[in-house]
Amino acid sequence: MRQQVTPELPVFVFGTLRPGYGNDRTWQGVAYAVHDGEATIADHRLVTNGGFPYCLPAEGETTTGTLIVPHPANYQEAMSYMDSLEGYPTHYNRKQIDVITPDGTITAWYYIPDDWAYYERLRPVTGNDWRNARLPRDEADDFGFARSGWWSS
């Protein structure tokens, strides 16, 4: 049996894995973040169930996030941590995507549900940027929301 080889790519993250949010501890020490708030993917939008976002295909929309770059010696460990958090491959799938950064276009992994049409009914995230919905933990209210009642406007 032939073992599948996966390229050692950075990971585009758009929600709770971004620096300063609750799940950044998943990659701290085994990876580092670059282009936070400057990395984008085309033709995708964010929706949320209130606690975390989903990134879905959406023609003409742009989603903002961060690139998480695993240290080469810790690549498998970092991916294992993030895959576990994202429920890969049962909750989210991991796919490759082109990410636009100030340094040019970079191919990266990102997490997307296979049955993404199911999630389209969820609440859109303003500007397709998680920072518009939830503040980093050091600036947030008790629930992490950027402004009280954002979900009901």
Side-chain angles (χ1 to χ4, degrees):
M1 178 186 261
R2 193 171 161 175
Q3 183 180 9
Q4 182 180 2
V5 177
T6 58
E8 292 187 355
L9 302 173
V11 180
F12 176 80
V13 299
F14 46 81
T16 66
L17 282 167
R18 285 180 71 178
Y21 289 90
N23 288 320
D24 68 352
R25 67 187 177 278
T26 303
W27 52 264
Q28 294 288 333
V30 294
Y32 60 95
V34 295
H35 304 303
D36 187 29
E38 298 177 318
T40 61
I41 58 173
D43 297 323
H44 284 77
R45 67 183 171 104
L46 292 183
V47 296
T48 184
N49 64 3
F52 55 92
Y54 292 91
C55 189
L56 308 177
E59 190 174 329
E61 295 192 47
T62 301
T63 292
T64 300
T66 305
L67 282 174
I68 303 302
V69 182
H71 298 297
N74 302 105
Y75 189 84
Q76 293 305 323
E77 181 181 14
M79 293 306 296
S80 177
Y81 292 158
M82 287 187 279
D83 285 350
S84 178
L85 176 77
E86 299 294 1
Y88 169 75
T90 57
H91 184 69
Y92 279 108
N93 199 347
R94 181 169 26 104
K95 297 186 177 185
Q96 293 181 22
I97 193 159
D98 288 336
V99 180
I100 296 151
T101 75
D103 296 332
T105 301
I106 297 170
T107 300
W109 294 112
Y110 82 125
Y111 294 96
I112 183 169
D114 280 327
D115 184 18
W116 56 266
Y118 170 81
Y119 299 95
E120 287 183 316
R121 64 179 172 73
L122 297 177
R123 180 91 177 149
V125 173
T126 304
N128 297 314
D129 187 338
W130 192 236
R131 294 202 186 276
N132 293 330
R134 306 220 5 154
L135 288 172
R137 68 179 154 265
D138 60 345
E139 300 174 29
D141 64 18
D142 291 340
F143 302 102
F145 291 103
R147 53 192 176 281
S148 182
W150 72 270
W151 59 89
S152 61
S153 59

